Each structure stands twice: as structure tokens, then as C-alpha cells.
């Protein structure tokens, strides 16, 4: 055992671990969850410590041997992805201080073991830094690192909807407004509308992520840069960008960037809207596939699992259902982020830990949910074309096409008769000689009923 000290006292720490007293205090103080700080935040914190050591050495404020020891320790931890000693809980008080202090002591301890050089966690590893600029920067970096996979998933979703749209440009169906029969449309248009929806989500998330590239490193405690050299302030962002592969820039107002969290709320809101859109589409898929005998049964989803322990042969829409649940989760987490972002006081927001935990979880779950929807549902979805065509042919709502020629009142009479006698609108018009046969055939053709000539260009 070794004795570790802080401003509150001392504590025995096992010899074989890298963490120290700050990590143990966090574990003891915050027994909220077994979930640890996200590994992507840890990686980002280590990259910050590595960059800081380089810049501080270049600035002449950190000895070369100490800088090299810190750099070597950070590189090993990042390369090995060995984060077992990062035991600080994800949900923590202190605005991320426990995470920063834990990183400092782990890097210092590993540097000592690798070089036999005494490295101070605060004076050396944390030089020119504060939790208040390292922790929010690590959170932004983590979000930026997870964004490409999410955008790739959304792009795959768009492409899949587009493929289905192109395949079914002329597959007619009955549209529905307020769950009641409406005028005919095509599945090509319906699925192209989904593709258009997620194109907006793609742009929205990509644009929101741009704000995350502005960091407050060099601002230290409140954004005024106390204890950081001018060289450090001017060079930490480009050096960190080179190490991380991210395009990071100093915020134009470091005090603003230290105390305000609107960029996190903005990014979370973009994720929430994506979740909302996914839920809407998942609901549509469940509804359209309902039945198959007593529901709409317009589409058939891939059979992924037995649906009942008591009803033989029952199959449930399990993939849209899991997407729905992820959407509900993300929408709830966005509320948490919104409340946390608005709860900061004066020069600092203390609630970034829960914001980062929820945003990063939302990114990961949305990515996985979208990939699941594409691979396990959309790629093998089937449109029941014959069934849909018969629905259109017998639908009384097709009388809408008659209103320009027969008027609203006469068309309404035809609809009432068709519904009452279970007749087709087309047959009624022909029987009553309301229009000549060639006109009727043209009006009730799929192209005219679905107004394809005016909108197919949107599908191309």
C-alpha cells in the first residue's frame, strides 16, 4: 500500500494501481452508477495532457525530461486503450474535476513507473490547465469522434430509403390522413419522403457538430487564462488538432465558452430531432405491416423473432419497436441536457458530466439503432403490391379525381353509394353514364390517380 495525500487528508492506495486519492474519493462520493466515464472522453483527456506537455515544453515552462515522461505515459495509455484504472463514475459532482484529477494522477503515476522520474499531477501534468477548460474540451472532442459513424449510419439509411423508392416508383397505394383513407399515392413517393426527412437530419447534425470544434483550452479556470502562458494559449489548439485528428479552434470568447453550454444543448437537440423522426418512421412501418389478416398488411417486414409464447406463428415488428425505444431514450436524455445546460451559474456550469454521458450515449445508441433498422428490416422489406393495387381500385376516395368534372356534391353522392353498396367508384360512373368510357379509364389510371406526371421528378 502507498499513502496518497490531498487537501482533505490522506488515504491508503494499493500499490499495483495507477489511480490515486482523487479517483478513490470520486468512487466513494458518487455511488450513483457503476458506469464509468466514457472511454472516448478518457482518450480525449489523455490527448489533451499529451498536447499540453508538448506545448508547455515548447513554451519553456516544463522541463524536457518531465514533458517526455508525460508524453510517453499518455501515448502508452492511448495506444493500449488500457483504461482499467479510470474508475471515476460517469455521473459525478464537481463539474468534471474528478475526471481531470484522476487523469492527472494516473498519467503521473505511469510516467514515474516508466521513467523513475517524479512527476507531479498538478504542477506538471495539469500545467496551464484547469478542469474548466480540459473537461469541456474532452467532451466536445468525444462528441466529434462519434459523429462520423452516426452520419455514416444516417447516410446508409437515406440510401436504403432511396433504393426502395426507386424500386417502387409506380407501386400504388392508398394514402392516409388522420388514419383515414385519402387519395392514392405510390410507395416510391412515400419512401422518398423518408429519405428527404433524414437528409435534413444529416445536415442538422453535421452543422450542429461544427460548433463543437470551438474549444476553450487556454482559458483555465474561468476563461481569462490565468496561469497559462501566451505561447500555450496560442498553440495548444493546433497541437491538439494534430494529435487528435480533429479540426479544433480556440473559441472567440473563452469566458463565454467556459461558462455557457448552449452548443451542447444545440447538438443534443439535433439528436433529439433525429430520434423523433426515427420514431415516426418506425411507427409507420409498424402500422403498415399490421395484421397480417386484421390489419393494414400493406408491407411485410422481415421475420426476426417469434412473437408470442402462447400464440403460435405470431410475428412482431421487433426492429421498429427497438428503434422506437431508442428514440424515447434519446428524447428523454435531451430533456436532461436541456435542464443541465440551463442550470449553470455565473462563470461555470457544474453539470457537464451528465450532459456528456447522455449525449455520447445517445450518439452511440442512435448509430446502432439506425444500423439495425437498415440491416435487419429495410434491406428485406416487401411491399405487397397486388394487395395495395386492389385497395386503390376499390377505394371510394378515388372519387376525388371526379370533382373537377362532376363537382364536389355529385362526387360525394358517388362516395356514399360506393361505401353503402360496396361498389367501385369507377363502376358507378360507368353505369350512370356520367362520363364516357375513355375519359373514365384515363381518370382512373394509376398515373392520373397518383398525379405521377407532376411529381416523379422528385424521385429521380
Amino acid at each position: 500500500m502507498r499513502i496518497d495525500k490531498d487537501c482533505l487528508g490522506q488515504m491508503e492506495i494499493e500499490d499495483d494501481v495507477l489511480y490515486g486519492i482523487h479517483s478513490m474519493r470520486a468512487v466513494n462520493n458518487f455511488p450513483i452508477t457503476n458506469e464509468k466515464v466514457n472511454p472516448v472522453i478518457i482518450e480525449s483527456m489523455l490527448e489533451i495532457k499529451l498536447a499540453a506537455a508538448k506545448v508547455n515544453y515548447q513554451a519553456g515552462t516544463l522541463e524536457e525530461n518531465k514533458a517526455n515522461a508525460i508524453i510517453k505515459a499518455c501515448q502508452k495509455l492511448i495506444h493500449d486503450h488500457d483504461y482499467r484504472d479510470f474508475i471515476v463514475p460517469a455521473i459525478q459532482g464537481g463539474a468534471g474535476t474528478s475526471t481531470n484529477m484522476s487523469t492527472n494522477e494516473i498519467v503521473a503515476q505511469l510516467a514515474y513507473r516508466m521513467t523513475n522520474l517524479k512527476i507531479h499531477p498538478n504542477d506538471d501534468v495539469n500545467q496551464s490547465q484547469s478542469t474548466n477548460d480540459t473537461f469541456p474540451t474532452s467532451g466536445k472532442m468525444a462528441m466529434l469522434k462519434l459523429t462520423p459513424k452516426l452520419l455514416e449510419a444516417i447516410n446508409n439509411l437515406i440510401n436504403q430509403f432511396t433504393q426502395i423508392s426507386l424500386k417502387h416508383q409506380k407501386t400504388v397505394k392508398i394514402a392516409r390522413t388522420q388514419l383515414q383513407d385519402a387519395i392514392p399515392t405510390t410507395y416510391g413517393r412515400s419512401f422518398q419522403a423518408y429519405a428527404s426527412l433524414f437528409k435534413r437530419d444529416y445536415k442538422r447534425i453535421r452543422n450542429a457538430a461544427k460548433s463543437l470544434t470551438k474549444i476553450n483550452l487556454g482559458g483555465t479556470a474561468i476563461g481569462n487564462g490565468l496561469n497559462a502562458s501566451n505561447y500555450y494559449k496560442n498553440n495548444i489548439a493546433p497541437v491538439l488538432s494534430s494529435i487528435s485528428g480533429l479540426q479544433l479552434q480556440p473559441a472567440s470568447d473563452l469566458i463565454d465558452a467556459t461558462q455557457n453550454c448552449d452548443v451542447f444543448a444545440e447538438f443534443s437537440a439535433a439528436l433529439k430531432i433525429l430520434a423523433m423522426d426515427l420514431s415516426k418512421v418506425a411507427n409507420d412501418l409498424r402500422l403498415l405491416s399490421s395484421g397480417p389478416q386484421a390489419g393494414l398488411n400493406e408491407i411485410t417486414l422481415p421475420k426476426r423473432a417469434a412473437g408470442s409464447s402462447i400464440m403460435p406463428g405470431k410475428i412482431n415488428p421487433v426492429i421498429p419497436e427497438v428503434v422506437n425505444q431508442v428514440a424515447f431514450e434519446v428524447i428523454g436524455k435531451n430533456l436532461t441536457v436541456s435542464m443541465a445546460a440551463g442550470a449553470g451559474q455565473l462563470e461555470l456550469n457544474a453539470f457537464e458530466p451528465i450532459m456528456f454521458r447522455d449525449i455520447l450515449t445517445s450518439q452511440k445508441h442512435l448509430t446502432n439503432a439506425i444500423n439495425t433498422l437498415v440491416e435487419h428490416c429495410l434491406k428485406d422489406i416487401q411491399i405487397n403490391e397486388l394487395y395495395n393495387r386492389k385497395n386503390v381500385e376499390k377505394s371510394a376516395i378515388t372519387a376525388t379525381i371526379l370533382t373537377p368534372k362532376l363537382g364536389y356534391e355529385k362526387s360525394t353522392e358517388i362516395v356514399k353509394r360506393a361505401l353503402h353498396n360496396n361498389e367501385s367508384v369507377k363502376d358507378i360512373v360507368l353505369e350512370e353514364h356520367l362520363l364516357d368510357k375513355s375519359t373514365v379509364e384515363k381518370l382512373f389510371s394509376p398515373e392520373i390517380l397518383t398525379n405521377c406526371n407532376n411529381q416523379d421528378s422528385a424521385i429521380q
Side-chain angles (χ1 to χ4, degrees), residues 48-49 52 56 100 125-131 133-134 220 232:
I48 291 170
K49 302 300 174 183
N56 283 324
N100 186 43
V125 182
N126 197 62
Q127 188 180 121
S128 304
Q129 304 152 65
S130 164
T131 294
D133 63 357
T134 60
T220 65
Y232 178 90

Side-chain angles (χ1 to χ4, degrees), residues 182-195:
I183 57 177
T185 185
T186 67
Y187 264 100
R189 291 177 179 175
S190 295
F191 278 84
Q192 181 59 36
Y194 295 148

